[in-house]
Amino acid sequence: MTDMVLNVQMNFPCEEHKSNVIASCLHYYIRMRMRHYEREQNRYQKKKKAINKKTVH
């Protein structure tokens, strides 16, 4: 995000539009990263449960 803000020339008609666009970008980026993190954690938990089932039985 920092690279985009610093290196990409974005022209907006007013500061309110600029703030809204940047806020939306940050919102979507954080949601995407949280979904990725959650998916990785779920994969880890599934593997852990499978290993526990094998060792118990």
Side-chain angles (χ1 to χ4, degrees), residues 5-49:
V5 171
L6 294 176
N7 297 325
V8 175
Q9 296 280 334
M10 295 187 293
N11 297 322
F12 295 94
C14 65
E15 284 297 315
E16 184 178 343
H17 287 103
K18 183 178 181 179
S19 297
N20 287 340
V21 169
I22 291 173
S24 294
C25 289
L26 288 171
H27 173 78
Y28 289 122
Y29 177 77
I30 290 169
R31 283 181 67 186
M32 179 203 51
R33 295 299 300 159
M34 289 303 294
R35 285 181 181 168
H36 178 73
Y37 176 78
E38 182 180 8
R39 184 173 47 228
E40 291 298 317
Q41 290 299 311
N42 287 338
R43 285 181 187 165
Y44 174 74
Q45 290 298 324
K46 286 179 183 178
K47 287 180 183 179
K48 190 175 175 181
K49 286 180 184 179

